Amino acid sequence: GDYEGAIALFNHALQLNPNLAEAYHNRGHAYLQLETFEQAIADYQQVLNIIQNSFPLPQNIPQNIQNIILTI
């Protein structure tokens, strides 16, 4: 797939709405496919930040997800 093109589109979407969790998630997936792991993790963490502000999550969920990402 055209992951770099997808990243450019998600960047544009995030300029329009910086709280769009789906764009961060999808851009994180594109970074993951390109093996740009630090950027992927940063985007997934941003998704968690947005979700936590919308829905209360158990305290250990963000750490568990980060641990999963780091094992990829």
Side-chain angles (χ1 to χ4, degrees):
D2 181 14
Y3 296 112
E4 291 174 357
I7 289 168
L9 291 174
F10 295 128
N11 287 342
H12 180 69
L14 290 166
Q15 286 176 344
L16 297 174
N17 183 354
N19 293 314
L20 194 58
E22 186 175 356
Y24 282 108
H25 177 267
N26 292 334
R27 188 175 71 176
H29 178 74
Y31 282 134
L32 191 61
Q33 295 303 310
L34 294 173
E35 298 184 2
T36 312
F37 299 118
E38 287 184 21
Q39 290 173 299
I41 290 169
D43 276 357
Y44 291 137
Q45 287 175 330
Q46 189 62 29
V47 170
L48 291 173
N49 291 338
I50 292 168
I51 290 172
Q52 283 178 323
N53 289 333
S54 300
F55 310 100
L57 295 177
Q59 291 281 340
N60 65 334
I61 294 293
Q63 186 61 48
N64 289 344
I65 291 174
Q66 184 174 358
N67 289 341
I68 292 167
I69 291 169
L70 292 175
T71 61
I72 294 175

